[in-house]
Amino acid sequence: MSDDLFDIKVGNLSLKNPIALAPMGGITDSRFANEFAKDAGLVILGGYNLDAATKQAAAEIVKRGREEFISDEPLELIENELKAINTDSIVAINVRSSTLEPLIEAAKIAKNANAIIEIDAHCRQPEMTKIDVGEALLYDLPKLQDIIRKVKATGVILSVKVRANVIDNVKMAKAIEDAGADILHVDAMKIGSGADMETIRKIRDATRLLLIGNNSITDFDIAKEMFTRGADIVSVGRGVMEDPLLITLLVKEVTLLQKEMGWYNAPKHVCRGEGDLRGLAFCCLPVKPCPVHSNIKKIGISAKEFADIKMEFAKGTLLEYGDSTCFGSLVWCCKISKMCPLRDGVLETIGLTDAEYMKLKKELADYILDHPKVIGK
């Protein structure tokens, strides 16, 4: 499968698809990944406990029946585990340490192996949080930012795994992005069952980081729902233990969707109240009261600026065509999944496939959100 089908890039790495194996303490090692995640675009090994405090905490966790990775030589273990992966998946290592130096050394190992390091700001086991690692880092964002900056200084590609709804999700996402992380891995946990899809949408609107969504992914319908809320990648953990073929099935389904649609994680329309800001690519000309106005206000531009930005992008592309559409250009047309004879007639006339149309809409969404006039640009 071509890496170019999905065009998911981070740093110098290109993922073959947007399905990931999530880290699970004491479980997701190279053996597990080679057996159950050979088709994944990303496998995240760990979490590994790097210093004396986290190893002691892990030992206490094991005593009460949970699994953990404990090694006298954790850095050597990481090196060996990276070498033992025998698939073409990109590899990340999820790590915990109460001190900085082991994190930096692990980052150097990951960088040398062309892998990703992932800082665990997610673990909620009390043995870990009482030594100020895992989820405890979310309560001290300046400390987490300092760790990110110093680890990132090694040149490694850096992910941070977090648990949603512990602190303000938007504040958390912005802090992690501002510190220089490359990837935000969100366990969208909520009270009750299932994943908090609305949290994924709000985090997507708050950051341009590569976003991994996690929690309760047991079939493609759930994965697709998380994609439509803005996840670039979905990660699965416990679901693989229940269904060893889950990752293979998810890869098959998302590949079919990408070939057919051209934008596997295309957002819902903002007028439905469920779409993230990328959905502005599908909005009509803002000439009547509708949710487009509140959404462009979020990014700090006027209705006229929004119209000008979209037409800037359309110029010289096939989105410029469409005299017979509602607003005279495909740039104002909706998602391909919504029936529209006017749009479809133009696409047929100019020879633009559904997938090609959606790829242009994805480029348009990026153009809008990365535009210099948008807040923070």
Side-chain angles (χ1 to χ4, degrees), residues 8-82:
I8 306 170
K9 295 182 172 61
V10 57
N12 64 324
L13 302 179
S14 180
L15 280 66
K16 62 182 180 179
N17 63 62
I19 306 300
L21 173 66
M24 294 181 285
I27 298 172
T28 47
D29 56 10
S30 59
R31 180 207 59 79
F32 188 94
N34 289 336
E35 183 173 358
F36 301 114
K38 61 182 184 299
D39 295 319
L42 174 68
V43 297
I44 308 173
L45 308 180
Y48 296 111
N49 301 293
L50 302 185
D51 68 347
T54 51
K55 285 189 282 186
Q56 178 59 40
E60 293 170 8
I61 292 171
V62 169
K63 286 178 183 178
R64 56 183 176 85
R66 293 182 64 90
E67 297 184 76
E68 283 287 344
F69 291 116
I70 305 173
S71 171
D72 291 334
E73 298 293 340
L75 296 177
E76 182 179 332
L77 172 64
I78 288 170
E79 285 188 290
N80 291 336
E81 284 290 272
L82 288 171

Side-chain angles (χ1 to χ4, degrees), residues 343-363:
R343 177 203 63 214
D344 293 346
V346 175
L347 294 179
E348 184 176 359
T349 298
I350 65 176
L352 193 64
T353 68
D354 291 354
E356 289 167 340
Y357 168 75
M358 289 293 283
K359 286 177 183 176
L360 283 170
K361 286 290 187 175
K362 181 180 184 299
E363 292 175 18

Side-chain angles (χ1 to χ4, degrees), residues 148-311:
I148 292 169
R149 291 187 182 104
K150 288 175 178 174
V151 173
K152 184 62 186 172
T154 65
V156 74
I157 297 171
L158 189 148
S159 173
V160 182
K161 187 173 185 190
V162 300
R163 190 179 300 276
N165 302 319
V166 173
I167 62 170
D168 182 271
N169 294 313
V170 170
K171 180 181 179 182
M172 170 188 69
K174 288 181 179 295
I176 290 170
E177 182 173 32
D178 289 347
D182 302 288
I183 304 169
L184 181 59
H185 188 176
V186 179
D187 178 352
M189 189 187 74
K190 65 177 180 181
I191 297 174
S193 61
D196 189 342
M197 300 296 180
E198 179 63 8
T199 284
I200 294 292
R201 184 187 71 82
K202 289 180 178 179
I203 290 175
R204 173 73 291 159
D205 283 350
T207 178
R208 298 290 283 153
L209 291 174
L210 190 73
L211 179 60
I212 304 176
N214 168 264
N215 194 291
S216 305
I217 305 295
T218 55
D219 59 42
F220 188 64
D221 286 340
I222 300 172
K224 188 177 179 182
E225 191 71 8
M226 196 168 279
F227 282 137
T228 66
R229 295 309 203 279
D232 298 297
I233 298 167
V234 297
S235 71
V236 293
R238 302 293 169 186
V240 178
M241 299 178 72
E242 296 170 7
D243 179 3
L245 295 178
L246 179 59
I247 285 178
T248 296
L249 293 173
L250 292 176
V251 170
K252 179 180 178 181
E253 291 292 333
V254 77
T255 299
L256 290 173
L257 179 65
Q258 179 68 357
K259 288 179 177 178
E260 178 184 346
M261 288 280 289
W263 189 0
Y264 69 94
N265 67 335
K268 296 176 182 289
H269 291 97
V270 297
C271 54
R272 292 180 58 183
E274 298 175 316
D276 60 86
L277 290 170
R278 299 172 305 142
L280 291 169
F282 302 122
C283 284
C284 304
L285 193 66
V287 293
K288 60 182 180 180
C290 72
V292 67
H293 292 280
S294 59
N295 278 278
I296 60 179
K297 186 176 181 181
K298 289 179 184 177
I299 59 175
I301 58 175
S302 67
K304 182 180 184 306
E305 286 172 325
F306 173 65
D308 289 344
I309 288 170
K310 288 191 81 167
M311 292 308 296

